Amino acid sequence: MGNMTLEKVCKSFGTVDVIRDVDLQVEDGEFCVFVGPSGCGKSTLLRMIAGLEDITSGDVLIDGEVVNTVPPSKREIAMVFQSYALYPHLNVRDNMGLGLKQARHPRAEVAAAVDRAAKMLDLEKYLNRRPAELSGGQRQRVAIGRAIVRKPKLFLFDEPLSNLDAALRVQTRIEIANLHRELGATMIYVTHDQVEAMTLADRIVVLRDGRIEQIGAPMELYNNPANEFVAGFIGSPKMNFLDAPTLGQPGRSLGIRPEHLTLSREEGQIEGRISHVEQLGGETLIYLRADPHGLITVRLFGEHGAVVDERAFVTPDLTRAFHFGTDGQRLAA
Amino acid sequence: MSARANILRSSAAHAILIAYTILALYPVFLIVINSMKSRRAIFNEPLALPTRETFDLVGFHTVLEQGNFLLYFQNSLIVTLASLFLVLLFGAMAAFALAEYRFRGNLLMGLYLALGIMIPIRLGTVAILEIMVAANLVNTLTSLVLVYTAQGLPLAVFILAEFMRQVSDDLKNAARIDGLSEYRIFFTIALPLVRPALATVAVFTMIPIWNDLWFPLILAPSDATKTLTLGSQIFLGQYVTNWNAVLAALTLAIFPVVVLYLIFSRQLIRGITRGAVK
Ligand SMILES: Nc1ncnc2c1ncn2[C@@H]1O[C@H](COP(=O)(O)OP(=O)(O)OP(=O)(O)O)[C@@H](O)[C@H]1O
Ligand SMILES: [Mg+2]
């Protein structure tokens, strides 16, 4: 068991409203990811779920019970922090076992739980080391282990991978995905890395300025964004927003993903000059400057030669385009 | 080129530091060497080292035979250590509260606690004496401990609050999720992490207390409660001063502070280097 509900949750620091009227239902066993630009309130929302931050108004429910005033240690949650937050004076074993020890579980039970978690995360060799004697990746695995040991109803992750280097990030991401499959636990995960969001999530919650912009499965958000903000936030490289009136299209802007544009030297709908080329091997990104649209990104598969300052034409595939009105909302097709 | 400039710069820095060290330590050195000379040698050649002829421990004999010297020593030590303990404990607790909890009046409370840095506690001597008389604490070491604790707290709170703010929020939150009480978080997580700051505050707090003459003279001048600094005054007469004894007493008084300082500075350095390699 482990579902979580937010009902009209608000948070203000003094006169600043950081979270405004958030409603959300996370199902048992679901992997839910919060994304949004920096400062939009992801961490604050997560800390409110954990009980580390008071709720200004609204209700947080875990397993159907209102937990607004329940202290963090009694909510049966576990949290993994970006900065690892391991106790510097305890070794790995004690770091992982402290929560259960505090809850007065028998010593043998604590030891067994720690050993099980250590085995899952390949930490058996390091059980007697202090955090200072571990690498960043190992520290984050210990932090994850500490969360597992508590057998929580709800796992909370606050950007757990952003202090790791790229290779380790991929590896740990896979580890977290496996963990979710093995434990079948409910997880809420904050990130601003959209690859993490897309690959891990059952459902993504896109936040902006303390409000939910859209909730949906990764592909749903990708293929059916509700507004310009979500369309621009999900997908990499970012969606192009072309000036709709000059193309004779309805609305203010026409959203088109870089892979849905065709490039030609001879003819096309939009004329521009190539300003930059990025060869990635498997794909080529061509940046084209065209007035009044600004910089347009074109994504081509395979290797393509292109010369900077060359004249070129692009044509959007209008069947894959999105139309946005002046308020940034999607126009009904 | 730049390597040579570097050597130049660092040797210049060292020259300045060494000069300052000599300047600061020379009076102490003079006290120590003169304490081991005969009275005549002290006045004839105050800057000379003791030689076989001038070497004389009469000052130390006088001081130790004065009977109560060990008691004064003990009083000083009790007062200093007790005040130090209370200043560090309450100072760190107040600093933790100011840094960690958002409550109405937090800023005002911080300013109020820091006010004592600017207003010398001696200004309140008369009132303090009245309070001590009313509380029947005159001529007790308790009165001194209370006054020194009040005297040391403002600076301690001020410095420690700044350091407490740097203790990672995530770490404290992780401990809260693990079910540690706020007291456990304070004692087992926050305090060890601000140990270098504690050592600094300890040194700043300890030395004025050890050297103070004012409050022992006013609040606890009885023979049983005299501190070392006050006790040494008997050798400084209006007409004759027993310089041998004064210098010997001062020399002996230096040692405990040096020992305490060594203990704290060890912590200080350990704290600094740990921060550096992390
Ligand atoms: N203690 C506080 N007092 C006042 N404002 C705060 C406090 N904590 C956070 N905020 C504000 O709340 C907003 C949301 O902060 P939060 O840390 O939740 O952002 P975030 O989405 O996690 O950003 P990031 O991706 O950079 O971590 C920010 O604008 C921040 O300035
Ligand atoms: Mg954050």
Side-chain angles (χ1 to χ4, degrees), chain A residues 13-186:
Chain A
F13 288 110
T15 54
V16 188
D17 297 329
V18 176
I19 299 292
R20 311 173 208 202
D21 275 336
V22 167
D23 282 303
L24 177 68
Q25 169 92 36
V26 179
E27 300 302 335
D28 192 17
E30 191 177 359
F31 200 119
C32 177
V33 174
F34 294 174
V35 292
S38 186
C40 69
K42 308 179 292 288
S43 300
T44 306
L45 194 56
L46 199 69
R47 286 210 301 273
M48 287 160 78
I49 297 169
L52 297 167
E53 202 79 73
D54 292 334
I55 295 161
T56 307
S57 69
D59 288 319
V60 175
L61 291 84
I62 295 179
D63 274 350
E65 279 181 47
V66 178
V67 293
N68 290 4
T69 56
V70 177
S73 58
K74 300 267 155 54
R75 291 193 184 190
E76 296 183 64
I77 50 139
M79 190 156 171
V80 177
F81 298 88
Q82 177 179 0
S83 62
Y84 319 134
L86 299 177
Y87 309 117
H89 60 294
L90 297 180
N91 64 21
V92 169
R93 179 186 298 282
D94 295 339
N95 256 291
M96 301 210 305
L98 188 65
L100 287 189
K101 210 176 116 200
Q102 282 301 114
R104 302 191 191 289
H105 286 254
R107 191 172 302 182
E109 191 185 309
V110 178
V114 170
D115 286 337
R116 211 173 321 123
K119 199 162 175 188
M120 273 173 113
L121 292 164
D122 228 355
L123 285 169
E124 288 144 308
K125 286 199 291 286
Y126 310 113
L127 280 178
N128 292 318
R129 291 210 200 162
R130 296 267 176 112
E133 299 159 349
L134 298 174
S135 72
Q138 289 162 346
R139 282 182 212 179
Q140 196 54 289
R141 290 221 299 282
V142 175
I144 295 171
R146 178 169 66 183
I148 297 175
V149 167
R150 295 170 53 87
K151 294 220 187 85
K153 287 179 180 167
L154 197 59
F155 281 88
L156 305 174
F157 294 89
D158 192 354
E159 304 198 24
L161 307 185
S162 49
N163 278 356
L164 304 180
D165 66 47
L168 213 50
R169 204 175 304 168
V170 174
Q171 189 192 328
T172 316
R173 194 171 78 209
I174 295 170
E175 234 164 294
I176 291 179
N178 286 336
L179 208 64
H180 178 240
R181 248 190 307 272
E182 260 172 70
L183 300 173
T186 317

Side-chain angles (χ1 to χ4, degrees), chain B:
Chain B
M1 170 64 212
S2 83
R4 193 195 290 165
N6 244 336
I7 290 174
L8 262 178
R9 196 176 309 157
S10 79
S11 48
H14 275 89
I16 291 171
L17 290 175
I18 289 169
Y20 179 76
T21 309
I22 292 172
L23 194 69
L25 284 184
Y26 196 61
V28 179
F29 175 71
L30 276 188
I31 289 174
V32 174
I33 57 168
N34 279 312
S35 73
M36 290 182 270
K37 294 200 299 204
S38 66
R39 187 179 169 79
R40 176 183 296 260
I42 294 176
F43 286 102
N44 284 351
E45 280 184 280
L47 302 184
L49 286 172
T51 61
R52 189 167 304 166
E53 293 92 71
T54 60
F55 184 76
D56 194 345
L57 290 180
V58 64
F60 290 93
H61 287 165
T62 323
V63 168
L64 293 177
E65 277 159 19
Q66 202 74 35
N68 282 336
F69 187 81
L70 279 180
L71 178 68
Y72 300 161
F73 209 93
Q74 187 188 327
N75 287 341
S76 271
L77 217 53
I78 291 175
V79 168
T80 306
L81 288 180
S83 314
L84 195 57
F85 175 77
L86 293 177
V87 166
L88 291 183
L89 179 70
F90 294 139
M93 283 179 147
F96 184 75
L98 287 177
E100 180 61 16
Y101 304 123
R102 286 195 293 268
F103 55 89
R104 205 179 295 264
N106 181 316
L107 191 69
L108 274 182
M109 180 66 96
L111 284 177
Y112 171 70
L113 288 174
L115 211 61
I117 300 174
M118 289 158 264
I119 302 174
I121 193 168
R122 289 183 188 193
L123 285 183
T125 303
V126 175
I128 290 174
L129 184 58
E130 277 173 357
I131 294 172
M132 293 303 171
V133 170
N136 221 353
L137 286 174
V138 174
N139 278 330
T140 60
L141 295 182
T142 315
S143 65
L144 291 180
V145 171
L146 288 177
V147 170
Y148 290 142
T149 306
Q151 171 187 310
L153 272 176
L155 192 64
V157 173
F158 187 72
I159 294 179
L160 291 175
E162 204 42 58
F163 280 82
M164 286 289 183
R165 273 187 203 110
Q166 290 165 17
V167 175
S168 145
D169 280 337
D170 285 356
L171 197 55
K172 289 177 283 199
N173 285 337
R176 287 190 185 116
I177 290 176
D178 272 340
L180 265 59
S181 69
E182 295 296 311
Y183 283 98
R184 281 279 305 277
I185 293 175
F186 170 72
F187 281 111
T188 61
I189 292 172
L191 264 196
L193 289 176
V194 300
R195 215 162 47 178
L198 281 181
T200 315
V201 170
V203 170
F204 279 127
T205 309
M206 168 182 79
I207 294 183
I209 298 178
W210 183 265
N211 290 337
D212 191 37
L213 182 60
W214 181 263
F215 284 112
L217 189 62
I218 291 165
L219 297 179
S222 79
D223 204 49
T225 55
K226 267 188 190 155
T227 59
L228 191 58
T229 325
L230 182 56
S232 310
Q233 300 303 311
I234 52 164
F235 304 120
L236 288 163
Q238 192 174 356
Y239 305 106
V240 273
T241 294
N242 185 344
W243 282 109
N244 292 83
V246 170
L247 293 174
L250 286 177
T251 304
L252 289 176
I254 292 170
F255 280 104
V257 216
V258 170
V259 170
L260 285 178
Y261 179 78
L262 285 181
I263 295 173
F264 293 133
S265 65
R266 185 90 145 275
Q267 289 296 328
L268 245 174
I269 292 164
R270 198 181 292 163
I272 291 166
T273 48
R274 167 183 307 165
V277 292
K278 207 183 209 166

